[in-house]
Amino acid sequence: MTTIAPGSTIGILGGGQLGRMIAIAAAQLGYRTHIYAPEESGPAADVSPRWTRGAYEDPQALAAFADGVDVVTYEFENIDPSAVEVLATHGLVRPGAQALRVAQDRLAEKRFVCDLGGLTAPFAPVESLDDLEAAIEQVGSRAILKTNRMGYDGKGQARLSEPGDAVGAWNAIGRQSAILEGFVTFAQEFSVILVRGHDGAVRFWDSAANVHVDGILATSTVPAGALIEGQVEQARAMAHKIADALDYVGVLTCEFFASADGPVFNEMAPRVHNSGHWTIEGAVTSQFENHVRAICGLPLGDTALAAKGAAMRNLIGDDAHDWQAILSDPANHLHLYGKHEARPGRKMGHVTRLSL
């Protein structure tokens, strides 16, 4: 792959906070960015000089966008892979469409990881209420019903505790194609975040212990503690296999449960990730900078801790209004995403503290 030199333009599909932080990292390395998204504006508009409003289903608009940039990446995975394929006929797209296909379909994702030898929750496909009742027999009544596609931060999910919950759960997810996952008994949740270069070189950041509240990530902390650290090597090996199997280029995130049986794969995100935001201040090279380095064919940066530890806390909804109090502590690093409306459950920013 020819190196894409500073001064070139990186196209980013999606204009949310992840696109914003990629654009900031790109600018620091001397790149320009151009956002393509169906919305008129978004958090990335504050820091990217160009924004094209267009549908992901519009091949002509996608082609024009691709022709105006030197490489394309994406900040979220709910994009039709066919859009990435259109872009790829006009230039370089990193990561590729296959990563989207796997990550967008929970059933395909679980089967993909199982084929690589990974451990997952017991699961079964669900296309009807009859399927759901059969799936309960297979994986147990203590389970989570998840839409097969879309859904994030706890959306598109319904919990079951007994067989009689089937009808309510099926209705709750809109009677859509789904997957039933049996409950996993685990002590903690953690992420493996890696960056893979075009030459196959892989580097890992320290894994953070993640705490979720109402299905939304609340905190990520490194070091993660003895339990997680004892399972990181095995989890990294699986994440490495996933990246290699996809011929992945860029930052990839895999989420795991730390269980008595070892790390249980939960899901993957083919992008930079909320649980890696601590790397902006807490690592020698952030996930955002290394993503830019990888997709542009630059040498990868050091992923080691830049301090003894780091703790990242998400600012959800009205939490963002506490910026005055947050900044009154000089140890806090505040990141606000420029969103104009603080709705319940909406990620408005984050704050990171380093242990020096």
Side-chain angles (χ1 to χ4, degrees):
M1 169 182 159
T2 302
T3 299
I4 297 169
S8 303
T9 299
I10 299 171
I12 302 174
L13 300 181
Q17 63 262 25
L18 298 179
R20 177 189 182 99
M21 287 180 270
I22 292 171
I24 291 171
Q28 290 174 332
L29 289 173
Y31 292 93
R32 298 177 177 86
T33 51
H34 183 171
I35 306 298
Y36 185 100
E39 300 84 16
E40 184 176 354
S41 185
D46 294 339
V47 298
S48 181
R50 297 194 63 192
W51 182 293
T52 291
R53 185 181 186 183
Y56 296 126
E57 302 78 24
D58 186 338
Q60 288 76 30
L62 288 167
F65 169 70
D67 290 341
V69 302
D70 297 287
V71 62
V72 175
T73 192
Y74 41 86
E75 64 129 28
F76 77 123
E77 60 268 40
N78 290 327
I79 301 169
D80 191 328
S82 63
V84 173
E85 291 170 347
V86 169
L87 292 166
T89 63
H90 291 263
L92 187 62
V93 184
R94 294 290 184 269
Q98 183 59 16
L100 287 178
R101 289 193 189 91
V102 172
Q104 284 179 359
D105 186 310
R106 287 190 169 101
L107 184 61
E109 182 182 57
K110 288 287 193 297
R111 287 171 171 165
F112 179 79
V113 171
C114 286
D115 288 345
L116 291 174
L119 177 64
T120 73
F123 64 92
V126 174
E127 297 292 337
S128 66
L129 182 58
D130 287 343
D131 283 350
L132 176 54
E133 291 170 347
I136 291 171
E137 290 289 327
Q138 178 180 336
V139 307
S141 58
R142 293 188 69 247
I144 304 176
L145 183 65
K146 301 179 179 180
T147 56
N148 217 23
R149 291 181 172 271
M150 307 296 284
Y152 57 93
D153 289 343
K155 300 178 177 68
Q157 301 184 13
R159 290 178 177 267
L160 295 84
S161 57
E162 57 185 39
D165 294 335
V167 173
W170 181 237
N171 290 333
I173 67 161
R175 304 179 183 183
Q176 301 179 60
S177 177
I179 180 173
L180 186 70
E181 298 181 7
F183 272 178
V184 174
T185 300
F186 64 94
Q188 290 180 285
E189 301 175 68
F190 68 99
S191 302
V192 171
I193 304 179
L194 64 81
V195 60
R196 185 176 187 271
H198 69 96
D199 59 354
V202 170
R203 293 188 180 179
F204 297 91
W205 284 269
D206 283 45
S207 284
N210 298 327
V211 175
H212 291 79
V213 177
D214 297 329
I216 302 173
L217 182 66
T219 62
S220 292
T221 306
V222 290
L227 175 63
I228 289 173
E229 289 170 4
Q231 300 191 11
V232 162
E233 184 176 353
Q234 189 177 349
R236 282 183 174 183
M238 177 48 54
H240 200 157
K241 281 186 179 181
I242 291 169
D244 285 346
L246 295 171
D247 194 20
Y248 196 91
V249 177
V251 168
L252 172 69
T253 305
C254 296
E255 296 182 69
F256 291 88
F257 300 124
S259 80
D261 298 321
V264 178
F265 174 88
N266 181 30
E267 61 186 13
M268 61 174 270
R271 53 172 171 80
V272 291
H273 195 260
N274 193 178
S275 64
H277 288 356
W278 65 268
T279 64
I280 298 173
E281 289 85 21
V284 176
T285 310
S286 77
Q287 63 169 343
F288 302 101
E289 179 179 333
N290 256 341
H291 186 73
V292 173
R293 288 182 181 224
I295 65 173
C296 292
L298 305 181
L300 300 179
D302 188 350
T303 54
L305 283 170
K308 291 181 180 178
M312 186 280 299
R313 175 171 65 91
N314 269 331
L315 300 176
I316 308 297
D318 289 338
D319 291 348
H321 297 323
D322 294 335
W323 52 266
Q324 183 79 39
I326 292 169
L327 290 174
S328 68
D329 185 339
N332 284 333
H333 297 273
L334 176 64
H335 297 259
L336 295 176
Y337 304 149
K339 297 180 180 179
H340 301 301
E341 183 183 358
R343 297 192 299 267
R346 192 181 198 194
K347 295 174 182 175
M348 301 297 294
H350 71 270
V351 58
T352 300
R353 293 177 63 90
L354 303 183
S355 301
L356 301 175

